[in-house]
Amino acid sequence: MPKTIEFWFDFGSPTTYLAHTQLPKVAADTGARIHYMPMLLGGVFKATGNQSPVMVPAKGRWMGGDLARFARRYGVPFTFNPHFPINTLTLMRGAVGLQMRQPDAFMRYVDTMFRAMWIEPANLGDVAVLAATLTTAGFDAAAFQTLVGDAEIKAKLIANTEAAVARGVFGAPTCFVGDEMFFGQDRLDFVREAARAA
């Protein structure tokens, strides 16, 4: 049975985008399967008393440079979204909904949202901008709005977020290999080692 790396994520986190770009390499190196776990980062912050690093001005300024350094190291595009922070509730409900109802479209949606957030940054908190982004990527924007309004989908995102907090998650990205938790995209070497040893 292939090893599993759980990847707890929210599109609103730039470090989570960077981790997303590297996880396929980790999977290839270790033979592991990546299991994407959508959660609402705002809910995690509220439950744990944590907050975004950019809420500390000095840390936010430093982090901007660090994100750019890692993007260069990884050889991936990155543009800080000028609309940050963006409320990702609808986006994460979409992730949960597609994972549950249209799993074949899930990774295309994930890639689309990360691109629109951190490569060609758009204001995904604007309903019209989100609809245009979805349509361009081949999704039915009207069907998406119905999906994210579904009570079962809303409840599942809440349950995911509560499960994350119960396991000790306090931010994104967070990975688990078995019961071992790793926080931050700069801990992927440890994730790789754990997956090899699992």
Side-chain angles (χ1 to χ4, degrees), residues 22-102:
Q22 300 308 297
L23 281 171
K25 298 175 186 176
V26 175
D29 290 347
T30 62
R33 180 178 69 95
I34 309 299
H35 184 49
Y36 277 69
M37 299 293 294
M39 64 180 183
L40 187 64
L41 188 55
V44 170
F45 283 167
K46 183 176 181 180
T48 61
N50 196 8
Q51 62 180 348
S52 170
V54 301
M55 299 304 290
V56 180
K59 190 172 186 179
R61 288 190 296 272
W62 169 84
M63 191 173 178
D66 202 54
L67 291 167
R69 278 188 292 271
F70 270 103
R72 287 193 299 270
R73 172 170 288 178
Y74 296 153
V76 297
F78 172 75
T79 304
F80 195 85
N81 195 312
H83 306 288
F84 181 89
I86 292 172
N87 185 328
T88 59
L89 178 61
T90 298
L91 309 183
M92 299 317 298
R93 284 177 178 167
V96 166
L98 287 166
Q99 195 174 50
M100 289 175 65
R101 306 276 176 81
Q102 300 175 48

Side-chain angles (χ1 to χ4, degrees), residues 36 38 93-111 134 137-150 152-153 156:
Y36 277 69
R93 284 177 178 167
V96 166
L98 287 166
Q99 195 174 50
M100 289 175 65
R101 306 276 176 81
Q102 300 175 48
D104 291 346
F106 174 72
M107 284 308 301
R108 179 162 58 92
Y109 174 77
V110 169
D111 289 336
L134 289 166
F139 292 95
D140 182 327
F144 179 85
Q145 286 301 321
T146 300
L147 181 71
V148 299
D150 186 299
E152 184 182 16
I153 302 305
K156 177 60 174 171

